[in-house]
Amino acid sequence: MASQITLNDGNTIPQLGFGVFKVDQAETERVVSTALEVGYRHIDTAAVYGNEEGVGAAIAASGIPREEIFVTTKLWNADQGTDSARRALETSLGKLGLDSVDLYLIHWPRPDQDRYVESWQTLAQLRDEGLTRSIGVSNFHEPHLQRLLDETDVVPAVNQIELHPAFAQRPLRAFGTEHGIHTEAWGPLGQGKYDLFSDVPVADAAAAHGVSPAQVVIRWHLQNGIIVFPKSVTPERIAQNFDVFGFVLSDEEIAAIDGLDRGLRVGADPETAVF
Ligand code: NAD
């Protein structure tokens, strides 16, 4: 059973969830239905993924009470701003078929647009109105977070960032801890963009515990206190990625995987990303 983490606003979030980046709209309902059957109760989507309708359809079809499923979606870059952010959340809620989400994130800071502070104030307003229970950010570097702390009175509940063993983001995680901002990992398995599963500490731990390398890496995230939502469209892997509570990595195993950190960013750099 996935444990719950309490956010700085008092709301709780299941630490292990399911991500749907790059899942086709046509496939999303099936994939999310499988995840809900397996036991996931936390789904991470975004307006730009184009599959919020599929997520909503799976939730509706599941018969699981709404309050038992934690749903995150995200404000796309082109929609940053006061009125546009409000319209964007209303559009997402319409597609999801929900009255509110559990977490709404600014997807990327896009410092070149210089609208993330204004967008953040709007998200705070939307939270106060009950359209989202918690608010946070994604892909924010320390200076972007610092600006929100300096210029507004609302601390993000989470910062969702690229994070996997070769890109462990220790300084940004420490900054989050200092300010009560929980870190969420995207690309927790490195998005399959490097051979993480053959790295010796991962492969050795998998052999020692009789589990897959993916399960070891998910465990590494959980034992580091990180909120994590691996993605798969394969039913066996969806189940496997949730079956991570029957073993515990030792301190030595965690330390060995920590040692894989080499600053290997596989996605865009938020400081310069312009999509
Ligand atoms: P991921 O690291 O979860 O990698 C997914 C890939 O790993 C799959 O496509 C599959 O090829 C492989 N995989 C999954 N389970 C496996 C298993 N058991 N064995 C072997 N291979 C396996 O990458 P991701 O999907 O990019 O990240 C997870 C979630 O994070 C996304 O779905 C999305 O919700 C979120 N995300 C957010 C941002 C952002 O900018 N905020 C960016 C990317 C992703």
Side-chain angles (χ1 to χ4, degrees):
M1 192 52 199
S3 61
Q4 304 275 331
I5 285 193
T6 301
L7 302 173
N8 64 18
D9 56 12
N11 293 328
T12 56
I13 180 170
Q15 192 184 359
L16 177 59
F18 184 72
V20 294
F21 178 46
K22 290 198 168 156
V23 180
D24 288 348
Q25 167 75 345
E27 222 186 354
T28 303
E29 182 176 353
R30 170 188 71 78
V31 168
V32 174
S33 295
T34 301
L36 293 172
E37 278 160 27
V38 162
Y40 292 88
R41 291 293 180 269
H42 167 185
I43 311 294
D44 183 272
T45 185
V48 77
Y49 299 170
N51 56 21
E52 289 168 311
E53 279 141 323
V55 171
I59 292 171
S62 73
I64 298 165
R66 167 68 187 95
E67 61 276 14
E68 291 180 18
I69 305 176
F70 192 100
V71 181
T72 300
T73 195
K74 314 185 189 89
L75 172 69
W76 187 237
N77 305 336
D79 294 323
Q80 281 201 30
T82 305
D83 297 336
S84 46
R86 172 179 294 276
R87 276 196 305 274
L89 178 52
E90 287 169 352
T91 301
S92 286
L93 291 174
K95 290 183 174 173
L96 287 160
L98 301 176
D99 297 331
S100 64
V101 287
D102 298 281
L103 180 60
Y104 196 49
L105 306 180
I106 298 180
H107 205 147
W108 292 84
R110 283 294 303 264
D112 59 312
Q113 294 186 157
D114 197 19
R115 290 207 301 264
Y116 65 81
V117 176
E118 176 191 345
S119 303
W120 183 243
Q121 282 159 336
T122 302
L123 261 61
Q125 181 83 38
L126 294 167
R127 183 197 60 183
D128 292 347
E129 293 172 24
L131 275 66
T132 177
R133 294 176 67 233
S134 295
I135 54 174
V137 296
S138 178
N139 297 301
F140 273 44
H141 284 173
E142 193 175 315
H144 311 136
L145 292 170
Q146 190 62 55
R147 246 191 104 186
L148 297 187
L149 299 176
D150 291 345
E151 297 181 32
T152 79
D153 54 8
V154 183
V155 179
V158 306
N159 186 22
Q160 181 179 127
I161 54 176
E162 180 186 336
L163 202 175
H164 40 84
F167 192 51
Q169 297 258 36
R170 280 196 181 70
L172 196 48
R173 275 158 61 194
F175 183 85
T177 303
E178 189 187 329
H179 295 279
I181 304 167
H182 273 280
T183 297
E184 297 191 332
W186 69 250
L189 305 175
Q191 296 187 318
K193 289 184 177 167
Y194 65 96
D195 200 1
L196 169 61
F197 297 161
S198 302
D199 276 329
V200 172
V202 174
D204 281 359
H209 294 278
V211 298
S212 74
Q215 288 171 306
V216 167
V217 175
I218 293 165
R219 222 26 250 191
W220 173 83
H221 285 281
L222 295 174
Q223 290 184 224
N224 269 304
I226 296 160
I227 299 164
V228 61
F229 25 82
K231 170 229 160 179
S232 174
V233 293
T234 311
E236 296 72 28
R237 287 178 173 177
I238 295 173
Q240 181 192 112
N241 294 348
F242 197 70
D243 182 17
V244 290
F245 300 100
F247 69 103
V248 177
L249 298 175
S250 68
D251 291 346
E252 293 74 25
E253 287 169 330
I254 293 281
I257 299 170
D258 283 345
L260 295 173
D261 188 13
R262 52 189 182 278
L264 182 68
R265 191 190 283 284
V266 300
D269 184 337
E271 190 56 47
T272 50
V274 288
F275 38 72

